[in-house]
Amino acid sequence: MDQDIKFYSRPSVPVELHKVRVVQKLHLKSVDERLRAIREGGFNTFLLNTKDIFLDMLTDSGTNAMSDNQIASMLQADDAYSGSQSFYRMEEALREVFGKHYVLPVHQGRAAENVISQVFVNEGDVIPMNYHFTTTKAHMEINGGTVLEIYTDEALKIKSTNPFKGNMDIQRLKDVIAEYGVEHVPFIRMEASTNLIGGQPYSMQNMKDVKAIADEHGIMIVLDASLIGENAYFIKKREAAYKDVSIKEILNEMCAMSDIVYFSSRKVSSTRGGGIVTDSEELMLKMRDLIPLYEGFMTYGGMSVREIEAMAVGLRETLDETVIGQSPAFIEYAVNELDDMGIPVVMPAGALGCHIDAKQFLPHVSQLDYSAGALAAALFIVSGCRGMERGTISMDRDADGNDVASDMELLRLAFPRRVFTLSQTNFLLDRLKWLHENREIIGGLKFVEEPAVLRFFMGRLDAVSDWPEKLVAKFKADFGDSL
Ligand SMILES: *Cc1c(COP(=O)(O)O)cnc(C)c1O
């Protein structure tokens, strides 16, 4: 926010700097109905139906609130297969926000990854990055590349005071370039607000250091800008040299150091869609032919013109600190409250959501009994809030069929931008507090139907004992008839 809001009598509380003008009714079902729903969904929150969910914190992808101006812009959309004015308005917005001239539209973030990987990644290549994202890694590997994660020692620590856990380790970057040879490094990928390690940003100084090495070796930088607004916000808040620099200037500077910038509009501008931008005509021409092949004509790229209009408006709104600062303010509030309650949560607060450490929350449940998955199911039973398991269930078995314990065993609670209120956030925190006090009741899960690939999406599990019934009994003893 431009200025922090001070209260006379309360510790820092985030304030919604928007008003609610269109609402959607939510349902909070009884604890018995929630238990039935999670059983029917195979104890997998992906398989829940939203009619049974109170607060849907599964993801921030395609679930953010749109502004009045975004919705209004959809009415002026120009339906045309080619030459649509909607596209040119979006192109202008992208030039302004990212400071790059050429724009290739795609239907969502992973489509940009497909195009970039097909064009630039060859068999035997390695791609250094601060951390991978699921779809990014899959596209690079399909094209014969290997992802190298060059994060710092701080990155995987649950509780840290390091403001930039998304930084790349500069010495290790130099080492891998020396080890594999420049010819096998098609580009270095930087991901803004690294999604899978807790929405953690990198600093501008780190990007400058990466850029210096890239220039020294003539290697391109590709920036995944899906969560760039929040990364820019954290640079302004946490990096002293940028205290008085506008979000727009910070975004422009981040992009100026990148040869190619791509993004998922499902995150950054609250609509569907995505794009690739660059200042290099040569790079643009290498990628351009794949757009009509996979996405659609150059002036829509698989998006509807209405989404394109809303995207242009949403991108410009990212430049407004009071808009882009909302979600980080709520997440920071929730993370600090959880920490005060003694609940283990990834710190410092980042973008996207709160990440609760199931290893510490449920020390009596082994990772191979899927502690983060069990915690996600338990939270749903006691609150109707749906989170996402980001732990061992999200890993697939190794070549010998063994389960692989993940580095981090997290329950992620996403905060879709401007969707939930402070009282809803407090409801979530209250239920987490109760769950933490009753954590010894929670037991593990086991697979009953296990897909071989990406099992976390469609896999079905069951509780290893009657712990869900015991949890419900304790809930009723404490809450009575209350939902
Ligand atoms: C969501 C996301 C993607 C993929 O975008 P989709 O629109 O879901 O295809 C890529 N990178 C990052 C960092 C993301 O958060």
Side-chain angles (χ1 to χ4, degrees):
M1 265 126 290
D2 293 319
Q3 283 170 307
D4 287 327
I5 298 160
K6 291 219 164 50
F7 282 82
Y8 176 62
S9 63
R10 302 179 70 87
S12 163
V13 175
V15 174
E16 294 87 349
L17 288 168
H18 45 260
K19 62 180 174 180
V20 178
R21 300 182 61 216
V22 176
V23 296
Q24 188 165 40
K25 186 163 168 37
L26 286 173
H27 306 274
L28 182 53
K29 297 214 164 158
S30 72
V31 69
D32 288 321
E33 286 172 307
R34 296 193 296 251
L35 176 60
R36 192 177 317 128
I38 196 79
R39 277 210 176 284
E40 278 168 15
F43 284 86
N44 179 348
T45 57
F46 275 97
L47 302 182
L48 288 167
N49 189 312
T50 55
K51 74 178 169 33
D52 298 315
I53 295 170
F54 177 43
L55 305 180
D56 191 1
M57 310 186 98
L58 187 75
T59 175
D60 65 332
S61 178
T63 57
N64 300 302
M66 275 207 231
S67 70
D68 50 355
N69 287 325
Q70 280 185 291
I71 291 170
S73 75
M74 293 170 106
L75 292 176
Q76 61 166 355
D78 178 22
D79 286 291
Y81 190 89
S82 74
S84 165
Q85 295 308 295
S86 300
F87 175 77
Y88 298 118
R89 282 192 276 268
M90 177 187 79
E91 192 178 50
E92 267 317 300
L94 279 165
R95 284 177 183 159
E96 186 184 322
V97 175
F98 291 151
K100 297 252 182 256
H101 185 73
Y102 297 106
V103 174
L104 301 174
V106 295
H107 77 273
Q108 64 184 80
R110 69 198 68 184
E113 292 170 338
N114 173 40
V115 170
I116 292 167
S117 302
Q118 283 209 31
V119 172
F120 299 105
V121 178
N122 292 305
E123 195 65 42
D125 281 349
V126 295
I127 303 97
M129 56 187 69
N130 48 349
Y131 207 76
H132 82 279
F133 184 72
T134 49
T135 52
T136 320
K137 188 171 175 196
H139 278 295
M140 290 176 176
E141 288 177 351
I142 274 180
N143 286 284
T146 302
V147 163
L148 298 178
E149 290 172 325
I150 315 288
Y151 50 79
T152 64
D153 292 341
E154 284 291 315
L156 303 186
K157 275 189 200 154
I158 298 290
K159 197 165 177 173
S160 161
T161 52
N162 189 315
F164 293 110
K165 284 161 83 180
N167 277 356
M168 189 171 271
D169 186 319
I170 300 302
Q171 185 54 47
R172 287 188 59 213
L173 176 62
K174 289 183 190 162
D175 294 346
V176 300
I177 295 171
E179 185 184 341
Y180 292 92
V182 175
E183 64 282 12
H184 294 299
V185 184
F187 56 85
I188 298 167
R189 174 176 172 276
M190 289 298 278
E191 181 181 313
S193 307
T194 40
N195 189 328
L196 296 188
I197 57 169
Q200 298 292 322
Y202 62 74
S203 67
M204 192 74 87
Q205 186 56 50
N206 186 247
M207 179 118 200
K208 287 179 186 167
D209 295 343
V210 171
K211 171 76 173 150
I213 292 166
D215 283 350
E216 190 182 311
H217 296 282
I219 302 174
M220 294 200 296
I221 293 183
V222 173
L223 171 59
D224 181 337
S226 302
L227 300 172
I228 197 171
E230 284 83 2
N231 201 123
Y233 176 80
F234 287 127
I235 286 175
K236 185 173 171 88
K237 287 287 170 185
R238 299 179 181 178
E239 195 166 353
Y242 288 86
K243 194 167 141 295
D244 299 318
V245 182
S246 72
I247 297 288
K248 178 166 188 246
E249 287 166 301
I250 294 174
L251 287 175
N252 282 189
E253 192 173 340
M254 292 169 86
C255 294
M257 285 190 273
S258 313
D259 299 277
I260 294 173
V261 178
Y262 75 90
F263 62 94
S264 164
S265 182
R266 298 175 64 86
K267 326 282 173 57
V268 78
S269 46
S270 309
T271 64
R272 317 300 172 264
I276 306 173
V277 297
T278 179
D279 265 339
S280 157
E281 187 180 10
E282 189 195 335
L283 293 177
M284 183 276 290
L285 289 174
K286 282 186 180 167
M287 295 183 278
R288 191 175 66 178
D289 289 351
L290 296 186
I291 302 300
L293 185 60
Y294 288 105
E295 304 305 310
F297 192 71
M298 293 300 297
T299 53
Y300 72 90
M303 291 176 268
S304 80
V305 282
R306 269 157 282 281
E307 285 165 351
I308 290 174
E309 289 283 358
M311 188 168 150
V313 175
L315 281 164
R316 287 207 173 91
E317 288 176 351
T318 308
L319 304 178
D320 180 341
E321 228 183 287
T322 60
V323 171
I324 200 66
Q326 279 289 299
S327 172
F330 271 67
I331 293 165
E332 186 177 18
Y333 168 77
V335 163
N336 291 340
E337 291 282 312
L338 288 168
D339 185 52
D340 286 350
M341 293 173 194
I343 295 179
V345 59
V346 171
M347 296 186 81
L352 202 138
C354 302
H355 300 70
I356 295 173
D357 180 22
K359 282 192 213 174
Q360 290 178 67
F361 198 111
L362 299 176
H364 56 285
V365 181
S366 141
Q367 276 189 278
L368 300 186
D369 286 331
Y370 312 127
S371 47
L375 186 56
L379 177 64
F380 176 75
I381 293 169
V382 304
S383 69
C385 300
R386 163 161 84 162
M388 187 192 288
E389 190 266 6
R390 292 278 80 163
T392 301
I393 298 177
S394 297
M395 308 274 291
D396 288 329
R397 287 178 188 266
D398 67 14
D400 301 324
N402 296 316
D403 241 344
V404 183
S406 60
D407 287 340
M408 295 176 102
E409 189 72 31
L410 303 176
L411 164 60
R412 183 183 85 183
L413 297 163
F415 279 65
R417 293 164 187 77
R418 295 188 286 176
V419 171
F420 298 129
T421 64
L422 187 63
S423 32
Q424 289 170 331
T425 306
N426 283 334
F427 172 88
L428 168 78
L429 296 173
D430 188 66
R431 293 298 161 98
L432 278 164
K433 184 175 175 22
W434 183 88
L435 198 60
H436 192 239
E437 282 161 7
N438 291 280
R439 61 189 178 277
E440 76 289 348
I441 301 174
I442 303 169
L445 299 176
K446 58 176 189 254
F447 269 101
V448 290
E449 267 177 57
E450 186 178 345
V453 184
L454 296 179
R455 62 183 184 173
F456 66 92
F457 278 130
M458 300 298 290
R460 300 182 68 83
L461 301 99
D462 195 3
V464 295
S465 66
D466 64 350
W467 68 260
E469 285 70 24
K470 289 197 172 116
L471 191 68
V472 168
K474 182 67 168 43
F475 181 92
K476 285 181 179 169
D478 289 355
F479 287 91
D481 285 341
S482 173
L483 300 171

